Amino acid sequence: MSSSMAAAVGSATPPSALRVEASAASRSLASATRVSIFFKSPITRALVCANGPSFNLRCEAVSENLAQKNQIDLKGSGVSALELLKTSAADRYTKERSSIIVIGINIHTAPVEVREKLAIPEAQWPQVIGELCTLNHIEEAAVLSTCNRMEIYVVALSQHRGVKEVTEWMSKRSGVPIPEISEHRFLLYNEDATQHLFEVAAGLDSLVLGEGQILAQVKQVVKTGQGVAGFDRKISGLFKQAISVGKRVRTETNISSGSVSVSSAAVELALMKLPESSYSSARVLVIGAGKMGKLVIKHLAAKGCKRMVVVNRTEEKVNAISQELKDIDIVYKPLSEMMACAAEADVIFTSTASESPLFSKEDVQKLPSVAPFLRRRLFIDISVPRNVEPCVSDLETAVVYNVDDLQEVVAANKEDRLQKAAEAQVIILEELNKFVAWKDSLETVPTIKKLRAYVERIRASEFEKCLSKLGDNISKKQKQAIYDLSMGIVSKLLHGPMQHLRCDGNDNRALDEVLENMRSLNRMFDLETEISLLEEKIRVKMERAQK
């Protein structure tokens, strides 16, 4: 392998805008609740985090609901969500609009040992969406789980209750206690949650700034969610918009130029840990030929590795890679020969979806010594859950590095990458405004439906009254004419209100007017859109849960 290092390996400084909510801060003074600080600009967050110990506040992406202690605990009080609507708290409860929330952990907030416990395999995403949407206050859901993050996106009828239910579900599913999840999780709501996903899709929140694999993973969320009940209009619209943002950022900025993926950073880390004299002679084993493994193989080839052994469940993927890299000697071996291959390898890369370790301390202890010019066998484990037990590093004959150790590689060219991230943020904010306008415009749909139903009831009633007065001698043609007349009057009367309840989302001022028109119509015709819809949704959920 070549000894050259990739100078373009970049900083993974996560995006986000120093923002302290004044109202929350003032409430916290009275309740002695911790104030959380948000970093929603990559430059601000990087500068604050870079100050290290001299800056006495922890750099975190966790946003707490500072009024939680004042909220009603449904489970503790024994009061159902539906009954709560009938109590004196109903007005406060129903005025809360549904929210988009992201509840998650990532490489910036949680170590790999926590992330692997909460990781959700892609094959289980549809099932998880269904489970989340059975919770009383969750309408829609999506899961984004990768080696660097596990994030759950939901549309919740109540912020506090939605977060509480999802956190309890996460704890029950993973076995991780709620306090431990709360210590490492981050919570973002509405525009902050939307902006976060856009930054993720653009590669701004990745370990390696600008990496492209995360966009493919966001696309996979949409592909997996197609046709799944619960992956509905708002959540699917959010992820589709995020894909557009990711494409636009990579097209209009040069954020991806010179960037590396997690896989290439793993190869760079191996080069850093190997003695320079052993680059060309080290025996390399790659376990797993999926997306990550394929990239590892390609980057090894790019660095001058001419021969490697690849262990995989099937041979087809390895053969396909061999066809692409015809100058490289790629030897396929089945999983049954993994330990035999490991015995003959000096450097082992693991990137499989196995939920249990492939290498235990006892397994590695039995392996023969590495080549004389090396002191210890090198494991680069970029899987989550991890494929190599961390205690393997306790042995004198082996050392293990995981995805969290890649930070050492991605610290170069920090300022250049922050400038690229700033350029990307301009695009993200434009797209954020478009999405928020589109989402807000959806609020008028229930009002439109209820107003149409209200007017239709009046029309139908008056039509029947008219027919009864005319008696039985009226002809079919006359009856149709009267019906057409009633429908025409309704259509013309509704035309004006309907026009004022629609907005294309491009003009924020016009959108504000539309939402005010919606509220006015709700008051004038006593439609009670928000309250009745919320009550109806919760009733349906509770009835479904009782079956």
Side-chain angles (χ1 to χ4, degrees):
M1 285 183 264
S2 166
S3 62
S4 62
M5 299 298 297
V9 179
S11 166
T13 305
S16 314
L18 180 58
R19 185 185 79 231
V20 180
E21 296 186 1
S23 59
S26 62
R27 287 199 303 274
S28 69
L29 292 176
S31 61
T33 306
R34 177 168 64 92
V35 179
S36 290
I37 294 182
F38 300 77
F39 301 95
K40 292 301 297 170
S41 150
I43 298 177
T44 304
R45 184 166 184 171
L47 292 176
V48 172
C49 293
N51 286 331
S54 64
F55 193 87
N56 201 25
L57 292 174
R58 179 184 170 200
C59 297
E60 59 182 36
V62 180
S63 66
E64 298 282 351
N65 184 339
L66 297 175
Q68 279 185 5
K69 33 192 316 195
N70 299 321
Q71 299 285 347
I72 296 175
D73 188 330
L74 295 181
K75 186 178 289 185
S77 65
V79 180
S80 75
L82 188 58
E83 289 169 344
L84 185 58
L85 289 169
K86 310 299 183 185
T87 69
S88 59
D91 184 59
R92 172 164 58 89
Y93 184 77
T94 54
K95 279 184 178 178
E96 187 175 10
R97 290 164 53 187
S98 64
S99 302
I100 292 177
I101 306 173
V102 56
I103 306 158
I105 59 169
N106 59 29
I107 197 166
H108 311 304
T109 68
V112 66
E113 53 265 26
V114 175
R115 299 200 309 276
E116 66 186 358
K117 292 176 185 175
L118 291 162
I120 301 175
E122 184 182 310
Q124 296 178 19
W125 291 358
Q127 174 192 338
V128 166
I129 291 172
E131 291 178 10
L132 289 168
C133 289
T134 61
L135 302 175
N136 279 344
H137 293 86
I138 304 303
E139 290 187 279
E140 303 180 31
V143 179
L144 176 60
S145 185
T146 72
C147 62
N148 286 335
R149 68 187 70 251
M150 198 293 291
E151 300 175 355
I152 293 176
Y153 292 80
V154 297
V155 174
L157 296 171
S158 161
Q159 285 188 2
H160 169 61
R161 295 173 180 84
V163 169
K164 183 175 182 293
E165 289 173 355
V166 173
T167 305
E168 288 173 349
W169 175 88
M170 290 168 66
S171 178
K172 182 178 179 181
R173 184 186 185 280
S174 65
V176 178
I178 289 177
E180 187 176 351
I181 292 175
S182 299
E183 178 186 354
H184 295 289
R185 78 182 178 190
F186 65 89
L187 303 174
L188 294 170
Y189 305 97
N190 296 316
E191 282 132 11
D192 288 335
T194 301
Q195 183 172 345
H196 172 74
L197 180 58
F198 289 0
E199 289 168 347
V200 168
L204 300 191
D205 198 62
S206 298
L207 174 68
V208 182
L209 193 65
E211 62 117 341
Q213 191 173 1
I214 186 61
L215 181 57
Q217 290 161 335
V218 173
K219 289 179 182 178
Q220 193 61 30
V221 173
V222 174
K223 183 178 179 180
T224 305
Q226 293 298 327
V228 176
F231 189 77
D232 295 328
R233 190 171 188 182
K234 287 183 181 177
I235 285 292
S236 66
L238 172 65
F239 273 81
K240 288 174 182 176
Q241 187 80 7
I243 293 169
S244 297
V245 171
K247 290 178 178 177
R248 188 180 165 196
V249 166
R250 287 171 175 81
T251 301
E252 298 180 25
T253 75
N254 60 348
I255 195 167
S256 295
S257 63
S259 68
V260 293
S261 64
V262 170
S263 299
S264 66
V267 172
E268 293 292 344
L269 180 62
L271 289 176
M272 291 171 64
K273 301 304 177 182
L274 285 172
E276 189 171 346
S277 59
S278 67
Y279 287 176
S280 59
S281 54
R283 299 169 296 175
V284 177
L285 170 64
V286 179
I287 301 176
K291 294 175 183 176
M292 300 279 279
K294 181 178 180 180
L295 287 173
V296 167
I297 295 167
K298 286 187 172 183
H299 287 293
L300 283 168
K303 292 298 179 182
C305 181
K306 296 299 183 183
R307 186 184 189 279
M308 65 192 83
V309 177
V310 179
V311 169
N312 196 53
R313 186 170 53 86
T314 60
E315 190 174 359
E316 288 76 12
K317 288 184 178 180
V318 180
N319 287 340
I321 297 170
S322 296
Q323 288 299 313
E324 287 186 51
L325 305 173
K326 293 183 179 180
D327 295 334
I328 310 300
D329 183 12
I330 299 176
V331 180
Y332 164 76
K333 295 291 182 180
L335 278 174
S336 58
E337 298 182 28
M338 182 182 71
M339 285 301 169
C341 294
E344 298 177 358
D346 301 314
V347 182
I348 301 174
F349 294 88
T350 61
S351 59
T352 80
S354 173
E355 295 185 36
S356 57
L358 301 179
F359 292 95
S360 66
K361 185 176 181 181
E362 291 73 21
D363 293 331
V364 177
Q365 201 165 18
K366 296 175 184 176
L367 297 177
S369 300
V370 293
F373 52 81
L374 296 174
R375 191 167 63 88
R376 295 187 293 179
R377 181 172 277 105
L378 183 60
F379 288 88
I380 309 290
D381 183 7
I382 56 175
S383 306
V384 177
R386 287 172 288 182
N387 288 168
V388 184
E389 288 185 348
C391 58
V392 167
S393 282
D394 295 340
L395 300 172
E396 293 185 359
T397 57
V399 60
V400 181
Y401 296 97
N402 59 51
V403 287
D404 287 1
D405 296 311
L406 301 182
Q407 296 280 7
E408 183 178 351
V409 179
V410 297
N413 297 334
K414 189 173 190 176
E415 300 208 353
D416 177 54
R417 292 183 174 277
L418 287 177
Q419 177 58 40
K420 293 175 183 177
E423 294 170 7
Q425 281 290 349
V426 175
I427 295 172
I428 287 172
L429 290 177
E430 287 178 14
E431 296 292 335
L432 174 64
N433 290 335
K434 289 181 185 177
F435 177 81
V436 170
W438 172 80
K439 180 176 69 71
D440 286 348
S441 70
L442 296 180
E443 289 188 32
T444 65
V445 173
T447 297
I448 291 173
K449 289 181 178 179
K450 283 189 168 287
L451 182 58
R452 281 189 180 278
Y454 173 82
V455 174
E456 173 57 23
R457 284 194 299 271
I458 295 174
R459 185 207 64 78
S461 174
E462 294 303 314
F463 175 66
E464 292 301 326
K465 285 180 185 178
C466 178
L467 293 183
S468 65
K469 289 178 181 179
L470 292 173
D472 297 332
N473 295 327
I474 185 171
S475 68
K476 187 175 181 181
K477 185 176 181 180
Q478 290 171 322
K479 185 177 179 179
Q480 184 64 44
I482 296 170
Y483 175 82
D484 291 341
L485 174 66
S486 68
M487 291 297 292
I489 292 172
V490 165
S491 179
K492 285 182 170 58
L493 286 175
L494 283 178
H495 178 73
M498 293 305 173
Q499 287 295 104
H500 287 82
L501 285 178
R502 293 191 173 94
C503 178
D504 62 9
N506 292 325
D507 186 338
N508 288 333
R509 181 186 58 80
L511 178 61
D512 291 339
E513 290 178 3
V514 167
L515 296 178
E516 181 53 40
N517 291 337
M518 177 191 76
R519 289 186 279 269
S520 298
L521 285 169
N522 283 335
R523 290 193 299 270
M524 284 189 288
F525 293 98
D526 196 26
L527 300 177
E528 296 183 331
T529 304
E530 291 182 4
I531 295 176
S532 59
L533 274 178
L534 182 60
E535 182 177 343
E536 181 182 344
K537 287 174 180 177
I538 293 178
R539 180 185 289 112
V540 169
K541 278 184 166 290
M542 295 185 69
E543 289 174 351
R544 190 182 299 154
Q546 290 169 1
K547 290 180 181 179

